[in-house]
Amino acid sequence: MRLRQILCVHRDRSLPPLPTKVDLVVVGAGVVGLAHAVEAHARGLSVLVVDAAPRPSGATVRRGGHVAVTTQASTALACALASRERWLKLGRDAGFGVRECGSVVVARHPDELAVLDDLVAARAGDAVALDGRSVAERTAVPDALGGVFLPLDLRVEPAAALTAVADWLGSHPQAHVAWGTAAQTFDAGSGCTLVRTARGEVVARRVVVAVGHDVGQLFWEVGATVERRRRQLLHVEPPTPGDPGAGARLTTGPVVVGPTTFLRDGAYAASRAVGVVQDRWRSTRPDVLEHDVHLTLCAQPDGSLVVGDGRMPAGPGRSEAVDHVLLREAAELLGVERLAVRSRWSAPELVRTAAAERDPFVVTEPLPGVRTVTVTDGLATTTALGLAPRVVDALF
Ligand SMILES: Cc1cc2nc3c(=O)[nH]c(=O)nc-3n(C[C@H](O)[C@H](O)[C@H](O)COP(=O)(O)OP(=O)(O)OC[C@H]3O[C@@H](n4cnc5c(N)ncnc54)[C@H](O)[C@@H]3O)c2cc1C
């Protein structure tokens, strides 16, 4: 297609004009989009990030902020390790907190300990076995049989981190971040693409489309490769455990992860003991399996906890049954009678429709010079900063 002369139409004159020409347009300012923008900017490329929302509000900001490095496998592990280094650097550069607190995976039954033994053997040095007392000393979990400490895991506060990264990036002369600017269509030309947005048109040498669960609205054929679901989370008041020091350990200590993670993270797939745990849950805790619970406790600065997460059933409403299981499992782990809910919400989740694919990354080229980048399985914050260099290498 012959590119016609570019006229930027500024519908809202209070907003600065979009640049007319850049090396890379990134569509979507969630963690995946910003990861690509930061990577391209670090290579001296000019970048425009456009996001339809007026502020960070996608899937990234609706979760606990656990960067779960050590329990990934294969490509996801390589990306998670690279991502970890980039989070730490970005935290320093953009001025937001990245807590090197690690995480503790808790076992309360011998078969769960057997799974963790396999993890310690597979991840020598990066997974440290703990006895029950050491778990209690590091966390607010009083009666664990044992556990494992994963020192490489990080915590970021997603909304604060995204806002800081977008502001920091946009403060550079060669980088622009335009909120409230939806991308609408893409016309590939020779060596560049015309991107039409709600605020005008931009010519880009390359384009990355990282719109998470909205990918099907721009490229339906890519949307067909992923299934959109939702997961429920809860924000609970600071728990009041019997041990007075436990509150402080929760706030400053590691992320606490329940054994339901065995069914989710790739590093556990090789352990035969997982099947034994699953069989026991089938008879003793079927609702944990039924609601696909993945118990993670991420403490907030005031001691309150984000408790995640379980699968929301199809339909408009959240499920009381899922909240009930989440609250029961979290209270049991913390040894408290009940947890008081502060707020409840849900967040979009993507899973690959081809179940045989273990790789969580869906990277496609729907047009020459345009890549869609979608991270499934709830792993974007963990892996996107490590995936971006691979995509940018391939693009330029
Ligand atoms: C319950 C739950 C817990 C999770 N926990 C973790 C965890 O502990 N660790 C982890 O690594 N990951 C976790 N995740 C996954 C992670 O939150 C998501 O994978 C990730 O946030 C997706 O990022 P994204 O950038 O692809 O999408 P988003 O954050 O949704 O960003 C997409 C952006 O694209 C914009 N957009 C859409 N359409 C357009 C358009 N046409 N033009 C311009 N902009 C557009 C949207 O406004 C949005 O801002 C969790 C997910 C869930 C549901």
Side-chain angles (χ1 to χ4, degrees):
M1 189 211 84
R2 219 179 110 251
L3 287 177
R4 59 192 162 89
Q5 198 180 4
I6 304 309
L7 275 177
C8 275
V9 180
H10 308 300
R11 294 188 180 147
D12 181 346
R13 302 221 169 255
S14 65
L15 293 170
L18 298 180
T20 52
K21 199 170 178 186
V22 289
D23 292 316
L24 179 69
V25 163
V26 175
V27 182
V31 67
V32 177
L34 287 177
H36 287 79
V38 166
E39 186 62 32
H41 175 257
R43 298 173 186 213
L45 300 166
S46 58
V47 183
L48 168 67
V49 182
V50 295
D51 196 295
R55 68 188 71 82
S57 57
T60 309
V61 301
R62 295 165 186 245
R63 39 164 301 259
H66 178 203
V67 180
V69 178
T70 305
T71 49
Q72 307 313 321
S74 55
T75 317
L77 177 62
C79 288
L81 286 164
S83 198
R84 180 181 195 276
E85 297 314 309
R86 284 173 160 79
W87 271 120
L88 292 170
K89 179 171 183 326
L90 204 48
R92 289 191 296 272
D93 290 347
F96 63 90
V98 180
R99 283 185 50 215
E100 293 184 72
C101 55
S103 69
V104 168
V105 187
V106 178
R108 300 174 72 228
H109 199 274
D111 54 23
E112 294 166 1
L113 264 189
V115 178
L116 293 182
D117 286 344
D118 289 342
L119 181 72
V120 171
R123 295 282 186 270
D126 292 340
V128 182
L130 303 175
D131 60 18
R133 216 177 95 188
S134 310
V135 172
E137 281 166 5
R138 286 174 186 267
T139 69
V141 177
D143 61 354
L145 201 56
V148 78
F149 177 54
L150 307 174
L152 296 182
D153 285 12
L154 304 173
R155 258 302 298 282
V156 291
E157 206 287 288
L162 280 201
T163 305
V165 173
D167 289 351
W168 170 79
L169 190 66
S171 70
H172 294 85
Q174 287 283 84
H176 308 266
V177 180
W179 296 103
T181 306
Q184 293 162 334
T185 58
F186 307 86
D187 284 343
S190 56
C192 59
T193 300
L194 177 69
V195 182
R196 287 198 187 81
T197 81
R199 277 176 59 201
E201 301 172 341
V202 184
V203 175
R205 278 174 65 209
R206 302 284 184 270
V207 179
V208 167
V209 177
V211 295
H213 61 286
D214 289 331
V215 65
Q217 292 181 13
L218 293 173
F219 296 102
W220 69 268
E221 67 281 19
V222 185
T225 66
V226 289
E227 185 187 331
R228 292 160 52 127
R229 297 181 184 162
R230 291 193 79 80
R231 297 190 69 82
Q232 296 186 192
L233 298 96
L234 299 157
H235 187 185
V236 301
E237 298 292 347
T240 45
D243 169 1
R249 287 200 295 282
L250 256 184
T251 314
T252 56
V255 175
V256 176
V257 184
T260 46
T261 188
F262 301 162
L263 305 183
R264 191 174 174 108
D265 281 2
Y268 300 108
S271 173
R272 286 197 185 160
V274 171
V276 180
V277 176
Q278 210 173 348
D279 285 345
R280 178 170 55 79
W281 287 343
R282 252 184 217 112
S283 51
T284 58
R285 286 169 190 265
D287 49 8
V288 163
L289 298 175
E290 184 193 341
H291 300 305
D292 186 22
V293 166
H294 181 242
L295 188 66
T296 310
L297 308 181
C298 287
Q300 306 301 297
D302 67 351
S304 60
L305 290 174
V306 173
V307 178
D309 46 73
R311 188 187 303 163
M312 190 170 128
R318 300 173 88 264
S319 154
E320 277 302 307
V322 175
D323 285 356
H324 171 78
V325 182
L326 283 173
L327 288 168
R328 182 194 73 204
E329 293 293 312
E332 265 187 45
L333 206 65
L334 295 168
V336 297
E337 207 157 295
R338 61 180 290 277
L339 291 163
V341 177
R342 196 182 275 183
S343 62
R344 304 163 194 261
W345 71 100
S346 67
E349 177 195 46
L350 287 171
V351 290
R352 294 189 81 132
T353 32
E357 287 282 0
R358 289 207 64 85
D359 186 341
F361 309 121
V362 185
V363 181
T364 72
E365 188 178 5
L367 296 168
V370 177
R371 295 284 194 286
T372 69
V373 184
T374 312
V375 180
T376 62
D377 299 344
L379 286 177
T381 308
T382 296
T383 58
L385 291 170
L387 173 67
R390 296 172 181 232
V391 175
V392 175
D393 277 347
L395 264 176
F396 286 93

